[in-house]
Amino acid sequence: YACAAGTRKHIATSFASGENVLASLPLLDLLAGGEGQFAKRPFCTVHATTVVSPMTFAEDSLDAACAAIEIGMPIHCLTGPQAGATSPAALAGALAQGCAESLASLAVVNLLKPGHPVAIGNWILVSDLRTGAFSGGGGEQALLCAGSSQMSAFYGVPGGCGAAMTDSKVPDNQAGFEKALTLALAALSGGGYVWESAGMLASLMGCSHEALVIDDEMLSLVRRIARGIEVTDETLSVDVVAQTVNGPGHYLGAPQTLELMETE
């Protein structure tokens, strides 16, 4: 209820058991407008870590996923292998194992209900082998996020990764460059979702309201980068250049400048 009360957008949450998923249906129906309405517009996704690495199905999360299928709730099937700990230290091997785990979850869901809406979350993570701790902000993590998103696109399945999982404990310079690096690579990789993209600190052990505000601004820049440069006859601006060179000598007052100042 707390998630749904703050937005009209799609929400997602976790459940500890299938029993709790089923118990949520009356509330979900009420929010959707009445009995049976949630199934018609399933606005809530369940996060279910259906595989615990390496290569083992998780009974409790599969129970939640099965219940979600029963009530028509979309599923985000997660796996989170950590390179060097619960997956190979070689990044290619870690990515391959994560993809296998994600595809296994996808297969199970489709065996139970073909075509049920699923997003795969092959969150390939990195362990700092000096300490055993999860390291969310390094270059290796950025590469694995991008690789995971590319594989989701390759399979043609909605998916993505976690990014902006900085190791810094405050929204400082370290947080800024680690978040920007991992987010930019994830956005440019062609995947679908980027989870944990705002507010998270200390390798997902903390969240900051101030960081949410800062990261929202950063995300607008990353989204602009991902949109790229649109090349058309109009945007190449040949006529605008000719008019300016033979006229005022600057573009500050050009109609095109005023037209595009808030979009381009």
Side-chain angles (χ1 to χ4, degrees), residues 120 122 142-161 163 181-195 222-223 225-228:
I120 58 173
N122 44 333
L143 283 170
L144 287 171
C145 283
S148 173
S149 294
Q150 285 180 321
M151 292 309 296
S152 299
F154 173 77
Y155 293 128
V157 177
C161 64
L181 180 69
T182 55
L183 278 170
L185 262 68
L188 293 174
S189 66
Y193 300 97
V194 182
W195 289 279
V222 172
R223 285 169 61 88
I225 293 169
R227 184 155 60 92

Side-chain angles (χ1 to χ4, degrees), residues 164-189:
M165 302 178 291
T166 179
D167 298 320
S168 179
K169 305 189 173 48
V170 293
D172 57 4
N173 182 60
Q174 178 188 353
F177 78 73
E178 289 183 350
K179 285 169 175 279
L181 180 69
T182 55
L183 278 170
L185 262 68
L188 293 174
S189 66

Side-chain angles (χ1 to χ4, degrees), residues 32-244:
E35 185 175 352
Q37 294 304 304
F38 176 73
K40 296 179 181 179
R41 187 174 69 87
F43 59 84
C44 180
T45 293
V46 60
H47 292 304
T49 306
T50 42
V51 170
V52 173
S53 303
M55 307 286 280
T56 304
F57 283 114
E59 183 176 350
D60 51 354
S61 286
L62 272 178
D63 182 43
C66 291
I69 294 172
E70 185 176 337
I71 67 170
M73 179 183 287
I75 306 171
H76 173 208
C77 287
L78 275 159
T79 181
Q82 291 194 38
T86 55
S87 70
L91 300 190
L95 184 58
Q97 178 187 304
C99 288
E101 292 170 345
S102 293
L103 292 175
S105 296
L106 188 65
V108 167
V109 172
N110 277 275
L111 281 171
L112 295 172
K113 185 179 179 182
H116 186 80
V118 176
I120 58 173
N122 44 333
W123 289 29
I124 322 300
L125 307 174
V126 172
S127 291
D128 183 341
L129 295 181
R130 297 169 299 181
T131 64
F134 163 54
S135 178
E140 299 83 5
Q141 187 62 64
L143 283 170
L144 287 171
C145 283
S148 173
S149 294
Q150 285 180 321
M151 292 309 296
S152 299
F154 173 77
Y155 293 128
V157 177
C161 64
M165 302 178 291
T166 179
D167 298 320
S168 179
K169 305 189 173 48
V170 293
D172 57 4
N173 182 60
Q174 178 188 353
F177 78 73
E178 289 183 350
K179 285 169 175 279
L181 180 69
T182 55
L183 278 170
L185 262 68
L188 293 174
S189 66
Y193 300 97
V194 182
W195 289 279
E196 313 297 349
S197 57
M200 305 311 295
L201 296 171
S203 295
L204 300 184
M205 295 298 288
C207 185
S208 160
H209 291 165
E210 293 84 356
L212 280 169
V213 176
I214 296 168
D215 295 348
D216 181 65
E217 178 69 15
M218 176 175 58
L219 284 166
S220 69
L221 306 182
V222 172
R223 285 169 61 88
R224 179 63 189 91
I225 293 169
R227 184 155 60 92
I229 298 174
E230 182 185 11
V231 180
T232 66
D233 289 342
E234 183 179 356
T235 61
L236 286 172
S237 310
V238 175
D239 292 339
V240 178
V241 172
Q243 293 166 9
T244 301

